[in-house]
Amino acid sequence: MADNISYKDILFNPFSKDNPVVVQVLGICSVLAVTAKLEPAIVMGLSVIAVLAFSNVIISFMRNTIPNAIRIIVQLVVVAGLVIIVSELLKAYAYNVSLQLSVYISLIITNCILMGRLEAFAMGNRPWPAFLDGVGNGIGYAIILAIVAFFRELFGSGTLFGYQVVPDALYEAGYVNNGLMILPPMALILVACIIWVQRSYNKSLQEK
Amino acid sequence: MRFNKNSNVYILIYIVALVLVTGAALAFTSVSLKERQNENVAVDKMRQILASIRIAPADNEVTAVFDSIITSQFIVNASGEQVAGEAFDVDVAAQVSLPADERELPVYVATLPGGITKYILPAYGSGLWGPIWGYVSLNEDRATIYGAYFAHQGETPGLGAEITKPQFTDQFENKRLVQDNRFTPVSVLKKGQKPEPGCDFVDAVSGGTITSRGVAAMLDNSLAPYTKFLTQSDN
């Protein structure tokens, strides 16, 4: 199986070289939806890390018993169950954040990264590498979310984590927040910029 | 002996067992967290009610502050008479879709330090993407607005969502909801638009036209049934 790559690579490759968002271009929908502010973006990232790691481990434990004909259904049931548990936990312990994320937590179920990792990795690997793979890909996703949200909140609202960082003096001098930053299209443009920067540094990713 | 993983019996048993286990796990999570979640919802509601009289307690003091500031709460009907029930338990979202004379109208009476009385009324309506709601507090004369708090479920950040900001809500102070014993809704207008004769108005949110209209419609629909209660001399 994947014994020829080290655990370190399984964990760290998704951060950059094999990033689920900017290299595999998965999970774009939630990147558009939750990155207008930094705080919900980070909670969303953490939720995806948790769900991805645990669903990877669970599916990996079950991988030899799952009937091939219904494997997608089994994966969906596991993912949906975990997402609902995360959503309930947020409602109980981080109520305000759960209000901000509202429907997007439930939409983790349909996040292509999850199904992608379950199908591509957890179905064929032992639990420990599957766990590392889940954490790695979750972090890879969360990094992009945080970068995009950082720029969108900074230029769109002049704040970070809700605290104003653009000084009042600048507003008095005629600076205005860029309303376009807050709208979903800007998230796509930012993701494209990240892809551009990354590929110009990492020549091996450039398509011939 | 090894099971045939692709036989129908195996598949059926497998999926039924899986669903049962998942279902049990979810039911357990839901039941064990229910109490905490309901508490959060109640605390959040108290926080919103207090926000309309510009009181923002720390996260762990909301209940205590609410109990000391809100000195009474009751339900009135469209004729201004008190009816039985707890104001806090009224589902405003369900009430606003009923005809005005069938609604239960919650009223919260706040006593600020110094013995000043404020009346707080809930409102519920729809914005562009989903529901919007809020609380409007009135001065002792039950005619002019003291403060307003608005919240929304999914209005566009930076545009419609600006209705929650003080720049928008602070405009409502001293606007008249009742003039000459008549209900006069507060309009939310774009620059250059004229209000209905006799009505007070506030400026709409730029780029949030439909949400702003939603706020105006919500205030009209939710608060008009209170007219009798607001205009009667004493209760």
Side-chain angles (χ1 to χ4, degrees):
Chain A
M1 257 160 254
D3 287 333
N4 49 347
I5 56 169
S6 70
Y7 288 167
K8 206 179 110 214
D9 286 345
I10 293 175
L11 182 63
F12 290 110
N13 272 357
F15 287 14
S16 166
K17 209 166 79 183
D18 202 15
N19 189 288
V21 182
V22 295
V23 177
Q24 301 171 25
V25 198
L26 294 174
I28 288 294
C29 26
S30 49
V31 173
L32 306 189
V34 301
T35 53
K37 293 267 153 65
L38 202 44
E39 191 190 2
I42 285 176
V43 174
M44 180 74 175
L46 292 176
S47 308
V48 169
I49 294 172
V51 172
L52 194 48
F54 283 109
S55 60
N56 253 5
V57 170
I58 294 173
I59 290 294
S60 174
F61 270 119
M62 293 163 65
R63 70 187 189 281
N64 292 327
T65 66
I66 298 174
N68 206 31
I70 57 162
R71 64 179 200 285
I72 301 281
I73 299 173
V74 171
Q75 291 164 8
L76 268 180
V77 169
V78 170
V79 171
L82 284 170
V83 167
I84 294 170
I85 290 175
V86 167
S87 150
E88 295 277 309
L89 282 172
L90 282 180
K91 269 189 208 145
Y93 295 100
Y95 187 75
N96 289 333
V97 181
S98 83
L99 286 184
Q100 286 177 41
L101 287 168
S102 62
V103 69
Y104 297 110
I105 285 289
S106 321
L107 283 178
I108 295 177
I109 298 172
T110 59
N111 192 321
C112 340
I113 298 174
L114 281 129
M115 296 302 283
R117 293 328 294 168
L118 293 179
E119 268 290 281
F121 200 91
M123 286 298 281
N125 285 283
R126 279 170 293 111
W128 177 239
F131 176 76
L132 292 179
D133 179 77
V135 172
N137 278 281
I139 294 176
Y141 170 83
I143 292 173
I144 303 299
L145 232 61
I147 295 175
V148 174
F150 174 84
F151 286 111
R152 285 183 74 191
E153 184 170 355
L154 182 62
F155 293 112
S157 313
T159 59
L160 286 177
F161 289 110
Y163 296 104
Q164 189 176 337
V165 288
V166 176
D168 284 327
L170 209 56
Y171 285 113
E172 278 153 24
Y175 173 82
V176 271
N177 288 328
N178 184 349
L180 184 60
M181 274 289 177
I182 288 169
L183 298 174
M186 210 56 207
L188 261 193
I189 295 174
L190 282 172
V191 170
C193 292
I194 296 173
I195 294 178
W196 177 25
V197 170
Q198 198 204 12
R199 297 207 174 186
S200 55
Y201 275 102
N202 204 334
K203 300 276 190 259
S204 64
L205 290 175
Q206 293 174 2
E207 287 92 356
K208 295 277 145 52
Chain B
M1 189 194 91
R2 232 182 127 68
F3 292 110
N4 175 8
K5 274 206 298 179
N6 289 317
S7 76
N8 287 342
V9 177
Y10 179 83
I11 289 178
L12 268 178
I13 294 173
Y14 193 91
I15 199 72
V16 167
L18 179 73
V19 168
L20 282 178
V21 170
T22 317
L26 289 183
F28 175 76
T29 320
S30 173
V31 168
S32 51
L33 295 176
K34 194 87 232 158
E35 204 175 321
R36 242 196 115 87
Q37 291 172 352
N38 289 342
E39 215 171 273
N40 282 336
V41 173
V43 167
D44 189 53
K45 188 171 177 180
M46 291 177 189
R47 194 183 52 73
Q48 298 185 23
I49 292 172
L50 291 175
S52 74
I53 46 174
R54 305 206 196 96
I55 293 177
D59 281 350
N60 51 357
E61 290 169 353
V62 177
T63 318
V65 173
F66 184 85
D67 289 342
S68 69
I69 297 271
I70 304 297
T71 41
S72 77
Q73 42 173 295
F74 50 86
I75 302 174
V76 296
N77 60 19
S79 322
E81 297 149 352
Q82 274 197 37
V83 293
E86 277 285 324
F88 200 77
D89 299 334
V90 173
D91 181 4
V92 182
Q95 295 294 327
V96 292
S97 54
L98 297 173
D101 51 357
E102 288 173 21
R103 289 190 204 166
E104 292 185 327
L105 307 163
V107 178
Y108 303 91
V109 183
T111 310
L112 299 185
I116 309 154
T117 307
K118 306 284 178 199
Y119 296 90
I120 303 170
L121 315 176
Y124 188 94
S126 41
L128 172 58
W129 304 114
I132 53 176
W133 62 93
Y135 294 89
V136 174
S137 62
L138 300 176
N139 287 319
E140 206 155 6
D141 62 4
R142 297 190 207 163
T144 52
I145 295 177
Y146 171 66
Y149 166 87
F150 298 116
H152 63 94
Q153 191 181 65
E155 299 307 300
T156 320
L159 301 176
E162 297 288 302
I163 59 166
T164 60
K165 298 275 175 71
Q167 293 94 310
F168 181 73
T169 54
D170 285 354
Q171 300 182 83
F172 283 85
E173 188 173 7
N174 294 329
K175 299 291 184 259
R176 291 161 298 175
L177 211 51
V178 176
Q179 295 175 47
D180 305 329
N181 285 338
R182 204 164 50 84
F183 180 76
T184 49
V186 178
S187 317
V188 182
L189 298 176
K190 285 197 202 176
K191 212 170 187 174
Q193 285 180 322
K194 284 207 177 74
E196 281 179 50
C199 289
D200 282 346
F201 68 98
V202 297
D203 291 333
V205 177
S206 308
T209 308
I210 296 178
T211 312
S212 301
R213 277 189 210 142
V215 172
M218 164 175 86
L219 293 180
D220 190 11
N221 177 34
S222 306
L223 302 184
Y226 284 98
T227 311
K228 281 269 171 52
F229 168 74
L230 296 175
T231 52
Q232 65 197 358
S233 51
D234 200 31
N235 68 316

